[in-house]
Amino acid sequence: MKISKFPALLAFFVFSCSLTLLAQVKPIFENGEAQIVPELKDSANWIRHDLWVETEFDTDGDGKKDRMHVDVTRPKQTETEGLKLPIVYASSPYYAGTAGNAPIFWDVKHELGAAEKPRNQVEVVRRGKRPIISNDEIMAWVPRGYIVVHSSSPGTGLSQGSPTVGGDNESLAPKAVIEWLTGKDNGYTTPDGNEKVMAYWSTGKVGMTGTSYNGTLPLAAATTGVKGLEAIIPIAPNTSYYHYYRSNGLVRSPGGYLGEDIDVLYDFIHSGDESKRAYSNKTVRDTEMAQGMDRTTGDYNDFWAGRDYLNDMEPMKAALLMSHGFNDWNVMPEHSYRIYEAARAKGIPSQIFYHQNGHGGPPPFSMVNRWFTRYLHGVENGVEQEPKAWIVREQDERTNPTAYADFPNPQASNVIFHLKGGAPAAGSLGLEKANSGAKETLVDNYSFSGSALAQADYTDHRLIYLSPVLKEAVHISGIPKIRVKLASNKPAANLSVWLVSLPWTEGRNAKITDNIITRGWADPQNHKDIRKGEPLEPGKFYEVTFDLQPDDQIIAAGQQIGLMIFSSDAEFTILPKPGTELTVDLDGTVLILPVVGGIAAVAKSLE
């Protein structure tokens, strides 16, 4: 009997030891970062499945709460050994396809305030197969001891509901998914059934990330204050649809998408259930958006206020690592800074990473890894004590940022620059006020691009004012501001401002930082109130004050800083027929530039 039992006992002992060894599979950390775990890196051993999470809203009009399509990718050890891991979660309206290059933009060639021609509307052809929604983030994080989850936004893919482009359901949808990940029983195996599924493999700690619209949704979720969302890393996020489609009262397109507006984006992403689209189109696009977006005046209103996440930040507590490019003229850098500034003021752990390139561009992977390691795994790696701002200098790679105490640079202070006339050639930009009483006039003509106007020696289609050649580099850091005193010969006019570095560099040797320092746009009709413009009285002077886009840039010695004022911007604004005249009072116009070292540094460079 003793001998016959021995093999069974030995097998039980080996099995028990195997379970003990398997149970030792856990995340590995070195230098404050999650490392690849050998037992977790084989994708053949990952479990992939999908489900639907029920929300608290019904936006497709069927009388039932909308459910979001969710996929999960997790190591097999979460099933076989009871391993629980934190979540990296990404959500998007793009996963199931878009309208692509369909001609759906508004025609921008018309007079300001005039009725526009109807635009084309399209239906998105849905793509994608179950159970996989997306492969984003999976290779980076599953081997490092995370579970990766994706969801399609309301009214896209296999998610129910209507797309609203910044409406409340786009915040509440990821909130519902996070609640499921932290233990709520609102997960179902099918879009309409009652069989439930639980996230038993989750530690209840969730981090979100994504780029552009996919970067907006982590912020949207965070503004709900949902429990379990510990950290977000938005990359080039749109944080206000007014700031995306308008600028200081002006109807202004995002760069590269002339004629886009919020209803265009709605059509672009609407890949949801074909049988529900007519209701969504009528309710959201053709009613709420049509009545609220106001392409006639460009004024701020309650419609836009409801799509501005800065207004919703009171409940937010998720640690914030923000990323953006200073030369992103699609989702402009103000979008990140305004949220970073508010989060920092609330005492939320915050860092900001800025690079010098265009749209997109995450922080270096090590920064992202440390952020998630600290807030999702709870490893005390000291990120709270690190510098608040990481800025890629002009000559460096995006993965090699320079650390600063904060952005704007604490050593920067505002320097006021004054104008002296020279039109139609260049005037001068300097520290001394002229008090000359000079006034100069430009004639609007959108057929000349901003870059052509900046390079022209003589033209009456812009006014430009140049600093002396810099003897030493000037470091700009912060939010430039301009105050323009102007008169128009018509009741409405575009106002565009570029800050440039000259001489202009063209060709293959030109870097993205070489020419345009920053830009801004405004409607002079809104000189008093962003919510209510008033027609301009021809010939009457008005003061128009507004911010240019945030920047942190070192202008090299040998360059000149140029302030260019013009009217219609061929890349961004409505394009009325040429001929509108803007007259600028030079004594009443100033550029306020935040410079590291302040006026002393500028004076030294100009002496």
Side-chain angles (χ1 to χ4, degrees):
M1 290 292 295
K2 290 180 180 178
I3 293 175
S4 65
K5 284 185 176 180
F6 180 76
L9 291 171
L10 179 61
F12 179 78
F13 175 77
V14 171
F15 178 71
S16 300
C17 290
S18 298
L19 283 178
T20 301
L21 290 171
L22 284 170
Q24 293 177 353
V25 174
K26 58 184 180 181
I28 299 170
F29 306 100
E30 293 179 6
N31 299 319
E33 298 180 29
Q35 305 297 308
I36 291 176
V37 181
E39 295 89 344
L40 304 182
K41 69 179 183 179
D42 185 357
S43 61
N45 293 324
W46 296 346
I47 298 169
R48 303 197 71 172
H49 56 97
D50 66 341
L51 66 141
W52 278 260
V53 168
E54 190 166 277
T55 68
E56 59 191 81
F57 55 81
D58 169 24
T59 54
D60 56 17
D62 63 0
K64 298 182 293 184
K65 291 180 179 178
D66 298 337
R67 293 183 181 181
M68 298 301 105
H69 187 210
V70 176
D71 78 9
V72 177
T73 304
R74 54 190 174 96
K76 68 175 183 179
Q77 289 85 351
T78 59
E79 196 70 34
T80 58
E81 283 85 43
L83 179 65
K84 292 189 175 185
L85 295 171
I87 314 299
V88 173
Y89 170 32
S91 186
S92 174
Y94 298 141
Y95 290 145
T98 66
N101 294 320
I104 57 177
F105 291 172
W106 291 95
D107 183 354
V108 298
K109 291 185 177 180
H110 60 80
E111 296 306 299
L112 299 178
E116 296 180 300
K117 300 183 225 176
R119 66 171 184 85
N120 294 325
Q121 296 171 340
V122 299
E123 293 288 328
V124 176
V125 177
R126 184 172 14 169
R127 62 171 174 78
K129 297 179 180 180
R130 294 181 60 198
I132 298 169
I133 294 176
S134 173
N135 289 309
D136 289 350
E137 312 295 342
I138 291 172
M139 296 305 298
W141 299 114
V142 176
R144 288 178 168 82
Y146 295 86
I147 293 164
V148 173
V149 169
H150 301 97
S151 70
S152 290
S153 296
T156 71
L158 298 181
S159 284
Q160 298 171 346
S162 297
T164 58
V165 192
D168 288 344
N169 68 340
E170 291 191 358
S171 299
L172 296 174
K175 174 179 180 280
V177 175
I178 294 165
E179 288 173 335
W180 175 70
L181 291 167
T182 56
K184 188 174 179 179
D185 66 343
N186 58 333
Y188 295 85
T189 57
T190 62
D192 299 304
N194 296 317
E195 182 182 354
K196 293 195 173 184
V197 57
M198 300 296 290
Y200 53 84
W201 27 258
S202 169
T203 63
K205 292 188 179 293
V206 181
M208 291 188 72
T209 189
T211 299
S212 196
Y213 206 141
N214 302 1
T216 299
L217 297 177
L219 176 63
T223 60
T224 69
V226 61
K227 181 181 178 182
L229 182 57
E230 305 294 332
I232 60 173
I233 306 177
I235 302 162
N238 178 346
T239 66
S240 163
Y241 284 91
Y242 185 83
H243 285 254
Y244 190 57
Y245 291 118
R246 308 287 183 267
S247 183
N248 302 297
L250 198 69
V251 176
R252 189 218 64 210
S253 305
Y257 302 94
L258 191 63
E260 186 184 327
D261 212 322
I262 194 166
D263 61 332
V264 175
L265 185 53
Y266 169 95
D267 278 352
F268 185 75
I269 66 173
H270 195 184
S271 61
D273 185 348
E274 289 83 355
S275 70
K276 303 290 182 64
R277 293 188 191 181
Y279 174 88
S280 298
N281 291 344
K282 179 180 179 181
T283 305
V284 179
R285 184 192 66 195
D286 301 335
T287 302
E288 181 184 2
M289 289 181 174
Q291 293 175 0
M293 58 192 277
D294 184 11
R295 283 184 63 84
T296 302
T297 72
D299 292 351
Y300 191 71
N301 57 29
D302 290 346
F303 170 84
W304 294 112
R307 286 166 165 78
D308 187 334
Y309 294 105
L310 188 64
N311 296 332
D312 298 331
M313 286 188 63
E314 181 58 33
M316 180 173 163
K317 53 184 182 290
L320 173 70
L321 172 57
M322 189 68 87
S323 177
H324 220 125
F326 280 126
N327 291 283
D328 185 349
W329 304 114
N330 176 3
V331 182
M332 300 191 191
E334 66 178 341
H335 283 270
S336 288
Y337 176 69
R338 61 204 299 271
I339 299 298
Y340 168 72
E341 181 182 38
R344 181 181 55 183
K346 282 175 57 66
I348 294 172
S350 304
Q351 285 185 342
I352 195 161
F353 167 83
Y354 275 122
H355 57 83
Q356 301 291 342
N357 294 321
H359 189 50
F365 184 77
S366 177
M367 286 184 69
V368 176
N369 194 336
R370 287 173 61 78
W371 205 254
F372 281 158
T373 295
R374 171 65 185 89
Y375 294 106
L376 303 189
H377 280 292
V379 174
E380 299 282 351
N381 57 13
V383 293
E384 303 96 322
Q385 285 75 49
E386 291 178 353
K388 300 301 181 188
W390 298 81
I391 296 172
V392 179
R393 293 272 49 104
E394 293 74 7
Q395 71 280 2
D396 293 335
E397 296 294 325
R398 184 183 55 80
T399 54
N400 184 30
T402 299
Y404 293 91
D406 209 341
F407 175 81
N409 192 310
Q411 297 178 17
S413 59
N414 286 333
V415 178
I416 298 175
F417 288 81
H418 300 277
L419 284 54
K420 292 183 181 178
S428 62
L429 187 68
L431 301 179
E432 294 185 5
K433 187 171 183 179
N435 291 320
S436 64
K439 297 176 178 63
E440 296 190 325
T441 298
L442 65 92
V443 181
D444 185 24
N445 191 336
Y446 70 81
S447 62
F448 295 89
S449 68
S451 59
L453 294 175
Q455 295 176 72
D457 290 330
Y458 295 88
T459 176
D460 62 357
H461 300 308
R462 58 89 176 112
L463 302 174
I464 192 166
Y465 305 92
L466 304 181
S467 74
V469 175
L470 302 181
K471 293 183 171 60
E472 295 186 8
V474 170
H475 185 177
I476 298 168
S477 180
I479 320 297
K481 184 186 293 288
I482 187 165
R483 184 179 76 234
V484 183
K485 188 173 182 180
L486 60 77
S488 171
N489 71 336
K490 293 183 180 180
N494 293 317
L495 175 60
S496 303
V497 172
W498 285 16
L499 197 65
V500 297
S501 178
L502 298 178
W504 196 273
T505 303
E506 289 191 290
R508 287 181 293 179
N509 293 327
K511 302 194 300 292
I512 197 169
T513 55
D514 278 347
N515 300 318
I516 300 170
I517 300 172
T518 187
R519 304 194 252 209
W521 303 263
D523 185 346
Q525 296 179 100
N526 292 91
H527 61 278
K528 285 185 178 179
D529 188 351
I530 196 69
R531 279 184 172 265
K532 186 172 178 55
E534 59 182 41
L536 305 175
E537 182 181 329
K540 181 179 177 179
F541 281 86
Y542 300 87
E543 283 191 358
V544 185
T545 301
F546 57 99
D547 293 343
L548 307 183
Q549 290 298 314
D551 199 20
D552 193 297
Q553 187 171 338
I554 297 173
I555 313 302
Q559 294 292 109
Q560 290 177 282
I561 296 173
L563 172 65
M564 184 170 74
I565 301 171
F566 59 119
S567 186
S568 298
D569 188 326
E571 299 175 63
F572 293 93
T573 67
I574 301 295
L575 306 178
K577 290 180 180 179
T580 299
E581 295 182 1
L582 293 182
T583 300
V584 175
D585 182 331
L586 302 193
D587 290 346
T589 300
V590 296
L591 170 68
I592 303 168
L593 207 55
V595 176
V596 175
I599 194 168
V602 173
K604 186 177 180 182
S605 179
L606 299 183
E607 68 184 9

